[in-house]
Amino acid sequence: MSTQWTRGIAVAAILGIVGGLAGWFFFLREKTVGIEDVATRRGFAAGTPSFGGLIGSLYENVAENLSYSGTTTIVRTAGAAPPRLWRVSATPAGSLHFSRTRPHTMYYTDYASGNVFRADTQSGEIRRITNTLIPRAYESVWVDDAHVVFRHLGDNGEVRSFLATIEEGATSTASLAEARGSYLPDNIVSIAAHGTSSEFFTIEPSGGGFVGVVHAVGKDATKVWQSTVGEWRAVWEGRERILLTQDAAEGVVSSAIEIHPKTGAVRLVQQGTPGLSLAVNKDATVFVYSESTSSGLSTHLATQNQVRRLPFSTLGEKCVVPERSARVYCAVPRELPRGPLPDAWHRGEVSFSDEWWFFDMETEDAGVLLSPELEFGTSVDVFTPSLDLTESFISFVDRVTGTPWVATIPQ
Amino acid sequence: MVLFPTLSLAQETPFEQTLASITTPDESFEPGERVELSLKSYSLNLDQALVRWSAGTGSTTPTLGGKTFLVTAGPLGSVTRVVADVFGKDGSFITRAEATISPAAVDIVWESTGYTPPFYFGKPMPTPGASIRAYAVPVFSRLDGTPIPSEGIVFTWALDGKVFAASGLGRDSIVFPLPEFPGENILTVDAATQDGIVHATAKVRLPSQSPLLILYPVHPLIGIDFRNPLRNGGFIEDTEGTFSLIPYFASIATLNDPLVSVSWSINDTPASSHDTDQFSITIVSPAKKVAALIGVSIEHARHLLLSTRASWKVTFGESPSSSTIDVFGRPVE
């Protein structure tokens, strides 16, 4: 009897242990699955994004442009002059700057790294000038060939502006320069460089409003103007006065004013224009401006004596007005997208595929100068165009990819 | 450059005021436009008088009953002095009236304090609860042609006819909150010299709209890609993406405004944003070719009308079959 009792207890114990272990096993397995699910949702199972495709790595794409020997006509073939429409780099650029003292010389900053490059628009030679890392330089403003303001976001989302001095090496084998400098006040709204002197103008928040300040590298800054309104885009570029254009929205009237850089005296230049976007020549005698309403977009050429409607529709800021030539050049969309202009364009909601047109102010002839789509099989959305010193080249950034481009103007 | 000023007319001198005066219709004129002036008198029978008009360096021959005169308005900022000499039929001088035509204009420059991201070149549009900053740019000249600065001009600001207390001498700017439930939102400014001789008026309509929610991808090298917002029906090549929501024009100073709350959902299931940034979210797809409906709504504790929603249907881990799309959504060459 006692033997059977003992045997029974032993079997029950064994069964209990086995059952307990089985239960523990299933419990642990369920928890493990749950943890794995959570980990997957948090991304631990996924690999690091490769950021691959067309852009690739910075190094790879600089190397591509230096040594590329393919047949794509927008990329310079090694040893050859750049094509008439030249994609200078496959990586986004912060800004482009034609030297005002060295012909055929264009500087640009790499958006991701802040490194500075110099490109020869005639030979196509590209050289990296600096190796200082300034990540995500959304915008760069060139004061002159040796000074550039890098604009990036700080840790708290504030706009930071770093005024850097770049001492370029004298020879092609010189070591890379460092971009050294100091920060300007935070949250500067707009910066405009004189272009030939070391002066630049900023619009900065101050005491609930905004002030216009003239800076000169190595000298004290001078406040010359103040305003309650701060959303202006400033352009100086060697002009006697600084041009300020209000940020625009379709159907909303905007204005442009000029400020004297010494006295701060204000002169009204353009008023009551819905969706105003404009380009102006150096002495402010020729304006190309656009009006945008829900009815459409129209582009006009204004001189001191008359206003003419141009035979194409584009945003005024997509145009350049030379100093010497009787022609103005405009990047004209092949088709206007739906959406309020120019604000939807500035938000990235719409983009254009542009052709370069000319309009002769004397003969009133107009025509296509260069069609990226038809001639080169590519599409560009022209942003911040600029003429070089010889008025032979137009630099611009493609709004969609951020890449820097140069178009040659046939002489 | 063609501009559109409001023409103002100077008063006649006190000596002639009792005998004759020059008037003009109260309307706006373009620089260079022909303006009709009229000579009036309560004590003289001008129909029986000879009137000689002078403007600038030119003058007319005395004309019987010549009570009207056409003069060309000068450019903005110019001063044109007009004189009407009245003679009897016998040629005896009776009286003189004078006027100064000084085209004047004032423009209103305004903006909303609503949020826009850095480096955005579009205009901040007014939304409920936003404030408006406005600035008047006058183009006024003295009799000698010198500009009159804002300090010497009286500005009267009004919204939908209600005058602001901040109006006054030299008050060329104003900041005010838009009503939570806006009316027509017509902002006017009347600018005048202290003697009222030169004056001009401008008005603008302030449009009001809801905030605009736009979602942008965030890339490890370039940060927020403001050039290429997420589009409804779009594709993300990777199976993971980080996105940043930009609430254009919302009545917030920064994205750290504690009164704003952002709620996310994926396929109608609540989802969590980044711990320190409620305007950003990382989404990981369990596999390729998976569609996700990303939903977001924002609410403001103080401005109830700011509540806004948006959604985007996006496919992860796939490119459109017709072409290979790069990370910017453009066809690869």
Side-chain angles (χ1 to χ4, degrees):
Chain A
M1 177 75 169
S2 61
T3 305
Q4 286 180 338
W5 180 247
T6 304
R7 193 178 297 126
I9 291 174
V11 169
I14 292 170
L15 288 175
I17 291 170
V18 170
L21 288 173
W24 184 242
F25 167 76
F26 285 111
F27 172 76
L28 285 180
R29 189 176 74 171
E30 182 185 337
K31 281 297 178 191
T32 301
V33 169
I35 290 171
E36 282 174 356
D37 281 346
V38 171
T40 300
R41 284 195 294 273
R42 286 178 177 170
F44 290 112
T48 302
S50 63
F51 199 60
L54 177 65
I55 302 305
S57 73
L58 170 64
Y59 175 78
E60 285 173 5
N61 283 284
V62 171
E64 174 195 347
N65 279 278
L66 291 176
S67 62
Y68 184 72
S69 58
T71 57
T72 308
T73 54
I74 60 170
V75 178
R76 172 183 167 256
T77 304
R84 204 155 59 90
L85 179 66
W86 180 29
R87 190 188 70 191
V88 180
S89 170
T91 58
S95 76
L96 315 179
H97 162 74
F98 276 121
S99 171
R100 292 294 169 194
T101 56
R102 301 164 71 166
H104 316 302
T105 300
M106 185 183 80
Y107 295 92
Y108 66 95
T109 57
D110 178 74
Y111 189 101
S113 67
N115 289 175
V116 176
F117 292 81
R118 186 182 76 227
D120 187 308
T121 55
Q122 270 194 326
S123 68
E125 294 284 333
I126 295 177
R127 183 172 305 145
R128 185 155 68 126
I129 304 298
T130 71
N131 62 354
T132 306
L133 184 65
I134 303 175
R136 302 179 184 179
Y138 281 94
E139 186 182 83
S140 305
V141 179
W142 289 83
V143 176
D144 54 37
D145 292 357
H147 300 93
V148 58
V149 180
F150 295 93
R151 312 245 285 151
H152 64 96
L153 298 182
D155 294 337
N156 298 316
E158 72 276 23
V159 176
R160 306 219 69 199
S161 303
F162 182 71
L163 173 60
T165 300
I166 297 162
E167 293 173 4
E168 201 174 334
T171 68
S172 60
T173 57
S175 58
L176 294 172
E178 216 179 309
R180 299 185 180 188
S182 59
Y183 278 96
L184 300 170
D186 284 345
N187 296 318
I188 289 175
V189 176
S190 184
I191 302 180
H194 181 270
T196 50
S197 71
S198 65
E199 291 180 301
F200 59 98
F201 173 82
T202 60
I203 298 176
E204 310 170 13
S206 173
F210 299 86
V211 292
V213 182
V214 173
H215 305 254
V217 177
K219 297 179 184 176
D220 291 336
T222 307
K223 186 182 90 172
V224 297
W225 172 74
Q226 64 182 34
S227 169
T228 304
V229 168
E231 296 294 334
W232 303 93
R233 291 170 70 182
V235 176
W236 199 351
E237 292 180 2
R239 295 181 176 84
E240 183 185 332
R241 292 167 176 263
I242 303 163
L243 178 70
L244 302 188
T245 309
Q246 270 198 289
D247 290 342
E250 180 183 273
V252 179
V253 293
S254 300
S255 303
I257 63 175
E258 283 184 322
I259 297 175
H260 195 283
K262 294 280 190 292
T263 65
V266 175
R267 187 166 75 186
L268 187 63
V269 168
Q270 182 81 4
Q271 65 175 135
T273 305
L276 174 66
S277 171
L278 61 78
V280 61
N281 68 344
K282 187 174 174 181
D283 57 9
T285 54
V286 178
F287 287 75
V288 178
Y289 70 93
S290 57
E291 293 187 23
S292 178
T293 67
S294 55
S295 302
L297 180 70
S298 60
T299 313
H300 308 266
L301 177 73
T303 59
Q304 288 179 320
N305 300 319
Q306 64 175 148
V307 177
R308 290 173 277 187
R309 181 161 178 174
L310 293 177
F312 45 74
S313 294
T314 187
L315 297 172
E317 60 193 277
K318 283 178 172 281
C319 300
V320 289
V321 185
E323 294 174 42
R324 296 184 291 276
S325 170
R327 289 183 167 188
V328 298
Y329 303 104
C330 292
V332 180
R334 287 168 52 84
E335 198 176 309
L336 287 177
R338 287 186 191 176
L341 298 175
D343 31 337
W345 181 59
H346 286 305
R347 291 190 291 268
E349 294 176 284
V350 301
S351 62
F352 303 107
S353 177
D354 294 329
E355 294 178 323
W356 277 106
W357 280 64
F358 72 90
F359 178 82
D360 193 302
M361 291 182 279
E362 291 173 356
T363 65
E364 298 200 338
D365 288 338
V368 176
L369 208 61
L370 189 154
S371 178
E373 264 199 44
L374 298 180
E375 297 178 55
F376 298 89
T378 191
S379 178
V380 293
D381 184 356
V382 172
F383 182 61
T384 59
S386 178
L387 269 174
D388 81 312
L389 197 64
T390 63
E391 297 184 357
S392 305
F393 302 97
I394 303 174
S395 70
F396 59 92
V397 169
D398 173 36
R399 189 78 171 91
V400 177
T401 62
T403 50
W405 295 69
V406 173
T408 302
I409 301 172
Q411 299 300 313
Chain B
M1 178 61 62
V2 176
L3 297 172
F4 301 90
T6 298
L7 189 69
S8 67
L9 187 65
Q11 292 176 351
E12 57 280 2
T13 61
F15 178 72
E16 282 77 24
Q17 188 171 357
T18 59
L19 297 179
S21 61
I22 298 174
T23 63
T24 186
D26 183 18
E27 57 183 302
S28 299
F29 302 96
E30 297 181 20
E33 189 171 329
R34 301 281 275 172
V35 180
E36 185 178 83
L37 303 174
S38 299
L39 185 67
K40 294 186 186 304
S41 174
Y42 294 105
S43 57
L44 298 175
N45 183 357
L46 294 175
D47 291 326
Q48 300 301 316
L50 292 166
V51 181
R52 181 181 67 197
W53 292 89
S54 305
T57 56
S59 63
T60 65
T61 52
T63 307
L64 185 69
K67 296 183 293 185
T68 61
F69 179 61
L70 284 174
V71 64
T72 302
L76 202 64
S78 69
V79 176
T80 303
R81 183 167 168 265
V82 179
V83 174
D85 290 317
V86 182
F87 304 89
K89 281 185 179 178
D90 59 358
S92 58
F93 175 80
I94 301 176
T95 190
R96 165 177 282 186
E98 292 184 16
T100 301
I101 298 176
S102 175
V106 64
D107 188 35
I108 298 176
V109 175
W110 67 271
E111 68 188 20
S112 165
T113 57
Y115 177 81
T116 55
F119 313 113
Y120 173 64
F121 292 142
K123 189 180 187 71
M125 298 298 287
T127 54
S131 289
I132 300 294
R133 294 190 281 244
Y135 165 54
V137 183
V139 184
F140 280 23
S141 300
R142 295 191 177 91
L143 291 177
D144 59 5
T146 56
I148 301 175
S150 292
E151 292 77 13
I153 300 173
V154 177
F155 297 92
T156 305
W157 295 92
L159 181 70
D160 292 336
K162 186 177 175 184
V163 176
F164 287 104
S167 303
L169 181 66
R171 301 289 184 93
D172 61 357
S173 60
I174 192 167
V175 181
F176 60 92
L178 265 186
E180 193 77 20
F181 297 94
E184 283 192 279
N185 283 354
I186 305 292
L187 176 67
T188 58
V189 68
D190 185 82
T193 51
Q194 287 178 279
D195 55 12
I197 290 178
V198 184
H199 76 271
T201 303
K203 65 177 179 182
V204 291
R205 183 176 169 277
L206 307 173
S208 184
Q209 64 175 76
S210 298
L212 198 58
L213 301 184
I214 298 184
L215 204 58
Y216 294 99
V218 180
H219 293 289
L221 286 182
I222 66 174
I224 300 175
D225 186 4
F226 289 108
R227 293 182 288 256
N228 296 284
L230 202 65
R231 288 172 169 76
N232 196 25
F235 298 85
I236 304 290
E237 265 192 86
D238 284 327
T239 54
E240 171 178 335
T242 298
F243 306 97
S244 187
L245 176 72
I246 300 296
Y248 282 89
F249 319 137
S251 305
I252 56 176
T254 69
L255 297 184
N256 297 320
D257 190 328
L259 297 178
V260 172
S261 63
V262 182
S263 303
W264 295 87
S265 68
I266 298 172
N267 294 335
D268 297 322
T269 301
S272 299
S273 64
H274 287 182
D275 290 339
T276 56
D277 180 8
Q278 62 175 339
F279 284 89
S280 293
I281 189 170
T282 295
I283 301 171
V284 179
S285 171
K288 290 192 174 185
K289 299 186 182 181
V290 173
L293 181 67
I294 305 171
V296 68
S297 68
I298 67 168
E299 291 180 354
H300 195 283
R302 190 171 294 161
H303 303 301
L304 300 179
L305 291 182
L306 265 188
S307 299
T308 312
R309 297 169 175 267
S311 62
W312 300 266
K313 185 176 179 185
V314 179
T315 302
F316 285 82
E318 184 179 29
S319 297
S321 56
S322 57
S323 60
T324 302
I325 302 294
D326 65 22
V327 67
F328 294 115
R330 298 296 295 270
V332 175
E333 296 165 13

